[in-house]
């Protein structure tokens, strides 16, 4: 291991613009560019995850790791390996020029022979992280505990049939929530990777729901006890690795939180690939979370439509992300949340600079999507047409139905039977609305191309 793991990247990634031929330059992302009166960096609040980028060897179910990650050598002493991993990660973060990172406890501190040893290792590594954060200015978007990799969690953590396993999970979350507070983290995420079932033949659904509700209540109680000011987030996922998970999508979690009086304690960390695995678009999940007042943060990635699992690829579709960003920005934007790249390199992308190429492309996709969202908001056509579609609800009939003072079904039936109420179908104009979105995408492309085109001087054509 050398002092600089990314020695081939001598300095921070610059902005080059659309005409730049430098593959290691941003084409769209400019942190200080004002978009709707707010810096691009402050809109997006970009984070890099440590698990896929620095703690995954590039293995899959058919083969061992392919990546050059020397700190993952099991022969290394744990703290030496942790320091090397953190050195590489913070070198990457500063050279990429993003403001945040995210991590699990097990990404940086492996389990020891006893819980006391595990705790000592985590505390020592958190001190190492704190010193690097102070030196670089990079901040923690969110922390989380890995409650899915260890064999003890094969049947879940909070929903495990063994209360002793639940107790260990509780201890692990307490430690990581304390660490997140210590590092100034702005959120804490719970991803129930195995909180579900493989077969109903050995599953008591009602019991496991009570367990999960109590576990989430304990986490909220501890948050208030220690004075953690960040946001607690739950990350929805429908299946894989389990057959079915209790946090299937926004709607399922919303119902769960409301049933158990937890709605005021949690918001949601939405992942693009999880939305598509649930059979939804990411646009749908974002809009659903906003409608419920539950939007917290975003894991930016994409899935492969030809694969039925969570491939965690880097985002590359402006069309897909523009609609989500439109909803987010018009609703007031992210507060404590951000866009975390919960993404994996492809297993054949083994060069060290591939990690830069991947993140640059994903960040540029986000930046261009933000510009399209801003164009849609400034134009106002989608907002105007949406309001027009529901204009009847501002009249006396619509107001009386919602207020409950319209006389109920009997009174409405009388008005319909008398012919007083006789509606005519109105077009939903879906195709026209889709054209409005495309027009915004193309207008941003045209504007950005014009902005980067060289200006002719006197005597030149």
């Amino acid at each position: 291991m050398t002092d600089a793991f990314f020695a081939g990247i001598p300095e921070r990634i610059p902005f080059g613009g659309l005409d730049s031929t430098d593959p290691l330059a941003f084409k769209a992302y400019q942190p200080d560019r004002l978009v709707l009166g707010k810096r691009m960096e402050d809109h997006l609040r970009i984070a890099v995850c440590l698990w896929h980028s620095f703690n995954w060897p590039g293995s899959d179910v058919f083969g061992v790791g392919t990546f050059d990650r020397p700190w993952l050598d099991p022969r290394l002493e744990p703290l030496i390996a942790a320091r090397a991993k953190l050195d590489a990660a913070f070198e990457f973060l500063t050279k990429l020029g993003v403001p945040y990172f995210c991590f699990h406890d097990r990404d940086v501190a492996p389990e020891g022979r006893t819980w006391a040893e595990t705790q000592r290792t985590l505390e020592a590594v958190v001190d190492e992280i704190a010193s690097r954060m102070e030196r670089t200015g990079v901040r923690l978007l969110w922390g989380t505990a890995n409650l899915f990799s260890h064999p003890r969690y094969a049947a879940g953590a909070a929903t495990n049939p063994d209360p002793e396993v639940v107790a260990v999970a509780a201890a692990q979350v307490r430690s990581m929530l304390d660490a997140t507070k210590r590092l100034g983290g702005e959120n804490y995420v719970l991803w129930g990777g195995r909180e579900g079932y493989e077969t109903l033949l050995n599953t008591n659904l009602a019991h496991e729901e009570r367990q999960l509700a109590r576990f989430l209540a304990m986490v909220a109680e501890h948050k208030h006890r220690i004075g953690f000011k960040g946001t607690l987030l739950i990350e929805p996922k429908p299946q894989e690795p389990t057959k079915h998970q209790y946090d299937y999508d926004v709607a399922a979690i919303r119902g769960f939180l409301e049933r158990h009086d937890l709605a005021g304690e949690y918001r949601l960390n939405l992942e693009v690939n999880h939305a598509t695995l649930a059979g939804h678009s990411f646009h749908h999940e974002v809009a659903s979370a906003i409608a419920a007042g539950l939007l917290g943060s975003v894991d930016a990635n994409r899935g492969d439509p030809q694969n039925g699992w969570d491939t965690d690829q880097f985002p590359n579709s402006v069309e897909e992300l523009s609609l989500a960003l439109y909803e987010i920005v018009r609703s007031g934007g992210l507060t404590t949340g951000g866009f975390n790249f919960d993404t994996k390199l492809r297993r054949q992308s083994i060069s060290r600079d591939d990690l830069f190429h991947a993140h640059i492309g994903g960040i540029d996709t986000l930046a261009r999507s933000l510009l399209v969202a801003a164009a849609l908001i400034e134009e106002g056509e989608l907002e105007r047409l949406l309001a027009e579609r529901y204009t009847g609800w501002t009249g006396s009939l619509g107001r009386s139905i919602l207020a409950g003072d319209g006389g109920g079904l009997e009174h409405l039936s009388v008005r319909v039977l008398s012919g007083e109420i006789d509606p005519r179908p109105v077009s939903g104009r879906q195709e026209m609305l889709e054209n409005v979105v495309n027009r915004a995408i193309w207008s941003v492309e045209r504007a950005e191309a014009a902005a980067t085109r060289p200006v002719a001087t006197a005597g030149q054509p």
Side-chain angles (χ1 to χ4, degrees):
M1 288 179 279
T2 60
D3 290 338
F5 186 71
F6 298 101
I9 313 295
E11 57 188 16
R12 180 167 167 161
I13 300 299
F15 173 74
L18 291 178
D19 291 334
S20 173
T21 58
D22 182 359
L24 292 169
F26 290 115
K27 308 302 185 292
Y29 180 62
Q30 297 172 271
D32 293 326
R33 177 173 178 174
L34 292 180
V35 180
L36 300 178
K38 187 175 179 180
R39 295 173 64 248
M40 186 175 277
E41 180 178 276
D42 296 332
H43 274 292
L44 299 177
R45 295 167 57 85
I46 292 169
V48 170
C49 78
L50 298 195
W51 51 95
H52 291 324
S53 296
F54 296 94
N55 202 51
W56 179 53
S59 58
D60 64 17
V61 295
F62 297 108
V64 299
T66 59
F67 294 162
D68 175 19
R69 304 289 186 265
W71 48 81
L72 296 181
D73 188 331
R75 296 170 296 180
L76 286 175
E77 194 275 324
L79 280 179
I80 292 175
R83 291 188 188 106
K85 183 188 301 181
L86 293 175
D87 285 341
F90 277 86
E91 179 192 352
F92 179 78
L93 291 165
T94 53
K95 288 181 175 180
L96 186 63
V98 296
Y100 291 104
F101 72 103
C102 302
F103 76 104
H104 300 83
D105 48 1
R106 297 289 82 87
D107 298 336
V108 297
E111 290 204 22
R113 291 166 295 181
T114 65
W115 182 252
E117 180 182 326
T118 298
Q119 186 64 19
R120 286 194 300 271
T121 301
L122 178 63
E123 290 171 357
V125 174
V126 166
D127 287 341
E128 296 276 354
I129 293 173
S131 67
R132 286 161 176 78
M133 291 174 66
E134 183 177 3
R135 186 172 68 247
T136 62
V138 179
R139 292 164 284 165
L140 177 60
L141 185 66
W142 51 260
T144 186
N146 180 330
L147 303 180
F148 47 88
S149 292
H150 194 281
R152 75 169 71 89
Y153 297 130
T159 58
N160 198 286
D162 184 348
E164 292 193 354
V165 173
V166 176
V168 174
Q172 195 173 334
V173 170
R174 181 215 169 163
S175 295
M176 193 55 192
L177 186 52
D178 289 349
T180 300
K181 179 178 182 290
R182 154 92 169 82
L183 295 172
E186 299 186 27
N187 308 269
Y188 183 86
V189 171
L190 292 107
W191 177 59
R194 297 186 188 275
E195 309 296 14
Y197 62 82
E198 302 287 353
T199 174
L200 287 171
L201 297 175
N202 63 9
T203 302
N204 185 327
L205 288 173
H207 197 287
E208 293 197 355
E209 177 165 328
R210 292 202 308 274
Q211 290 177 222
L212 182 57
R214 180 59 193 138
F215 193 92
L216 294 176
M218 288 192 293
V219 175
E221 290 163 6
H222 188 67
K223 168 195 169 174
H224 297 302
R225 186 176 298 115
I226 65 175
F228 177 58
K229 302 302 182 185
T231 305
L232 295 178
L233 302 171
I234 297 173
E235 182 169 329
K237 188 177 184 184
Q239 69 266 326
E240 191 247 350
T242 58
K243 182 178 184 178
H244 175 82
Q245 287 172 215
Y246 302 129
D247 49 3
Y248 193 91
D249 59 7
V250 170
I253 296 177
R254 178 185 183 181
F256 182 93
L257 294 176
E258 291 177 352
R259 280 197 306 279
H260 297 284
D261 297 323
L262 292 167
E265 299 289 358
Y266 288 90
R267 289 184 173 236
L268 302 182
N269 183 61
L270 304 179
E271 180 177 312
V272 180
N273 203 172
H274 293 177
T276 51
L277 285 174
H280 306 306
S281 68
F282 185 55
H283 186 193
H284 165 89
E285 288 292 87
V286 168
S288 297
I290 291 171
L294 291 174
L295 179 65
S297 197
V298 171
D299 275 1
N301 58 24
R302 80 179 198 273
D304 187 324
Q306 292 178 303
N307 289 333
W309 62 87
D310 196 6
T311 55
D312 288 329
Q313 294 171 243
F314 283 81
N316 65 358
S317 171
V318 171
E319 180 181 0
E320 178 178 40
L321 286 180
S322 293
L323 297 175
L325 272 156
Y326 171 73
E327 300 290 350
I328 291 170
V329 175
R330 71 190 280 262
S331 70
L334 299 172
T335 53
T336 61
F339 283 87
N340 169 49
F341 279 91
D342 184 0
T343 43
K344 298 176 183 174
L345 291 174
R346 297 304 88 193
R347 197 162 172 267
Q348 297 178 55
S349 299
I350 60 175
S351 296
R352 293 184 181 185
D353 64 2
D354 283 331
L355 203 57
F356 282 93
H357 292 296
H359 281 86
I360 288 168
I363 291 170
D364 275 339
T365 300
L366 267 181
R368 180 56 68 84
S369 300
L370 174 64
L371 296 176
V372 172
L376 288 168
I377 291 169
E378 289 177 322
E379 182 186 45
E381 186 71 355
L382 289 181
E383 189 70 40
R384 184 187 67 78
L385 291 169
L386 181 63
E388 181 182 284
R389 190 174 190 217
Y390 288 87
T391 190
W393 292 93
T394 63
S396 60
L397 175 62
R399 291 198 309 271
S400 66
I401 291 173
L402 290 178
D405 57 11
L409 296 181
E410 183 176 354
H411 179 71
L412 292 173
S413 295
V414 169
R415 295 180 66 183
V416 171
L417 288 171
S418 70
E420 178 188 351
I421 297 176
D422 186 19
R424 294 290 183 269
V426 178
S427 174
R429 298 179 179 269
Q430 177 176 333
E431 293 77 13
M432 187 180 79
L433 294 169
E434 290 169 346
N435 290 345
V436 170
V437 174
N438 276 344
R439 188 171 71 238
I441 294 173
W442 299 333
S443 69
V444 167
E445 290 176 354
R446 184 171 61 248
E448 292 298 294
T452 58
R453 189 178 300 126
V455 177
T457 58
Q460 291 183 330

